[in-house]
Amino acid sequence: MSEYISREEIEEAQQEEMRDLLLDAFSGHSVIFEIYSRRGWLERLFTPKILSMDNEALYTTQQVADICETQAYVIKNKRRELLDYLNPTILGEGSTKIYKHNYISVFKMKMIVGLTGEGSEYTIPQLKEIISGGVTRSNPSTGANESSNELLLKVLQKLENFEKFERLIESDEFFQDIEKRVKQTSQQLLIEDSKIEAEAKQSAIDLYEKILSSSTTISDKELFLVELSSLESKYPQHAYTIRLYKTSAEDKILRYKQDEKELNILNLKQEVNELFEEYDRTKDEAERDAVRDKIKKLANENPDLSFEIRLWLSTAGQKKKSFFKRLFS
């Protein structure tokens, strides 16, 4: 009598096979995977939907969202930021471009989704920095090269030190350790370190406030931003704090540029409307040519609105004034 294998047993075997494939691909080759492993979170990754993947299939964005138990727009946003790491298959070009993900790419997305987002421990920029260390540059399915392994070891050592500190600070050992370090370290070294930390923070704050100041031009703000970036090399131990100020300053400068551009466009529209009215008051062709030359100059100096300005020039004297106003409304 032949032994009967149930459907449940087949599915369980397939899931175990997928688990083994993913462990072989990521264990020891991915810092992100190590974060989950060291914190005992692997079961958050090995969900029934993840383990039910087909290792030969390519999944659409919506299918990836379903497997990762999130929304499609979340997948699109994170893929846009970490495209090289996810390495999806790209079909088509331009507006017809389609992304397909194999099981390796889907699992990477699952790890990213679990570590980022509202209330999570990491931001996308922080995760990018971890990835850019080189630990995931090679394809996990093909193994890491010697250089990647060295980088992986360094990052894992930093991660392990951080986790030890995290556990330490949650226990009485933290305070005991602080007391021990104070006794072992000279008072002068502690004072010097405190001075450097205060100096780094104050330097970052001073430059950040200059960037936010209404009395500085955008060109000045960009120069101050360069100075702010250079502080990371000057104070490497405080680079993370400095980088927070830098990121915020970059966002502020971008907004200033957008506001300035919108103001320039409004002023330009007003200037062109005044020239149009001047054109209506001209008495002969010579005066009209002079007005046209002024508008041509504006078009050359403002290429963003060059098309609209030149379109009016080609129809000046033939269209009604309301038509021109609609172009710039």
Side-chain angles (χ1 to χ4, degrees):
M1 182 176 180
S2 60
E3 184 179 354
Y4 173 75
I5 301 176
S6 68
R7 179 178 178 180
E8 289 76 12
E9 290 175 322
I10 294 175
E11 290 178 350
E12 183 177 345
Q14 291 173 338
Q15 290 184 354
E16 284 300 317
E17 182 180 0
M18 176 53 65
R19 179 190 287 266
D20 291 340
L21 285 173
L22 293 172
L23 286 172
D24 289 342
F26 289 91
S27 183
H29 305 307
S30 168
V31 172
I32 301 179
F33 184 83
E34 286 299 322
I35 292 174
Y36 280 93
S37 179
R38 288 172 179 271
R39 299 187 180 185
W41 294 350
L42 290 184
E43 292 311 309
R44 299 184 185 184
L45 297 176
F46 294 127
T47 62
K49 289 187 177 182
I50 285 290
L51 296 179
S52 297
M53 290 191 295
D54 185 343
N55 64 340
E56 296 183 358
L58 289 177
Y59 296 96
T60 65
T61 299
Q62 184 57 57
Q63 288 172 326
V64 175
D66 292 338
I67 294 172
C68 294
E69 299 177 86
T70 185
Q71 302 298 319
Y73 74 87
V74 174
I75 301 300
K76 292 177 182 177
N77 291 341
K78 296 186 188 299
R79 180 173 60 206
R80 187 184 305 112
E81 296 292 334
L82 294 163
L83 184 62
D84 290 342
Y85 172 63
L86 293 168
N87 193 27
T89 299
I90 302 176
L91 306 175
E93 297 180 355
S95 60
T96 62
K97 187 182 296 183
I98 297 174
Y99 295 92
K100 293 293 187 72
H101 298 257
N102 62 12
Y103 74 101
I104 291 289
S105 183
V106 176
F107 192 74
K108 288 179 179 179
M109 181 65 79
K110 178 67 175 178
M111 291 192 295
I112 292 168
V113 168
L115 292 178
T116 59
E118 186 176 355
S120 298
E121 295 191 34
Y122 297 90
T123 64
I124 287 294
Q126 288 172 336
L127 212 57
K128 268 186 175 181
E129 187 173 352
I130 292 174
I131 293 171
S132 66
V135 295
T136 50
R137 285 178 185 169
S138 60
N139 190 328
S141 63
T142 60
N145 57 33
E146 183 177 354
S147 175
S148 294
N149 284 333
E150 292 175 357
L151 290 167
L152 175 61
L153 180 59
K154 291 179 181 179
V155 175
L156 289 181
Q157 287 173 341
K158 291 182 180 179
L159 181 62
E160 184 176 2
N161 289 338
F162 175 78
E163 290 176 342
K164 285 181 179 178
F165 177 76
E166 194 174 36
R167 291 193 296 271
L168 190 63
I169 202 171
E170 292 174 352
S171 68
D172 291 338
E173 293 179 13
F174 172 73
F175 302 101
Q176 296 171 4
D177 187 63
I178 288 294
E179 184 178 356
K180 181 180 178 181
R181 288 177 183 272
V182 169
K183 291 178 180 179
Q184 292 176 343
T185 306
S186 71
Q187 187 66 28
Q188 184 60 36
L189 288 177
L190 290 176
I191 293 174
E192 288 298 324
D193 185 65
S194 178
K195 285 181 178 179
I196 292 174
E197 181 179 3
E199 181 181 312
K201 184 176 181 181
Q202 190 58 51
S203 297
I205 291 174
D206 289 343
L207 289 169
Y208 183 72
E209 289 179 346
K210 288 179 180 178
I211 292 172
L212 296 187
S213 173
S214 59
S215 62
T216 57
T217 65
I218 290 181
S219 297
D220 291 336
K221 295 179 192 298
E222 290 180 329
L223 291 175
F224 290 137
L225 181 62
V226 173
E227 290 186 45
L228 185 57
S229 299
S230 68
L231 292 181
E232 293 185 41
S233 300
K234 187 175 180 180
Y235 304 102
Q237 298 299 323
H238 308 288
Y240 177 73
T241 300
I242 294 169
R243 201 171 298 125
L244 292 177
Y245 282 104
K246 175 186 171 184
T247 300
S248 178
E250 288 173 338
D251 291 340
K252 296 291 185 182
I253 290 175
L254 180 60
R255 292 179 189 175
Y256 289 142
K257 285 183 175 180
Q258 291 173 341
D259 292 343
E260 184 180 69
K261 182 179 179 181
E262 291 176 2
L263 179 60
N264 288 339
I265 290 175
L266 288 174
N267 291 336
L268 178 63
K269 290 178 180 180
Q270 179 63 31
E271 190 172 353
V272 174
N273 279 323
E274 289 174 357
L275 286 172
F276 186 87
E277 293 173 358
E278 182 180 341
Y279 185 90
D280 282 347
R281 296 193 298 269
T282 56
K283 299 177 181 178
D284 52 41
E285 192 61 29
E287 291 182 358
R288 284 190 285 274
D289 286 342
V291 176
R292 288 193 185 98
D293 288 340
K294 292 179 182 179
I295 299 182
K296 286 180 181 177
K297 182 180 179 182
L298 282 179
N300 292 331
E301 294 174 349
N302 301 275
D304 290 345
L305 290 177
S306 176
F307 173 76
E308 287 84 351
I309 295 173
R310 294 183 185 281
L311 179 63
W312 176 80
L313 286 174
S314 66
T315 58
Q318 301 175 20
K319 301 289 184 178
K320 293 183 179 180
K321 183 176 180 180
S322 59
F323 168 74
F324 176 69
K325 285 189 174 180
R326 284 199 301 274
L327 289 176
F328 293 92
S329 60

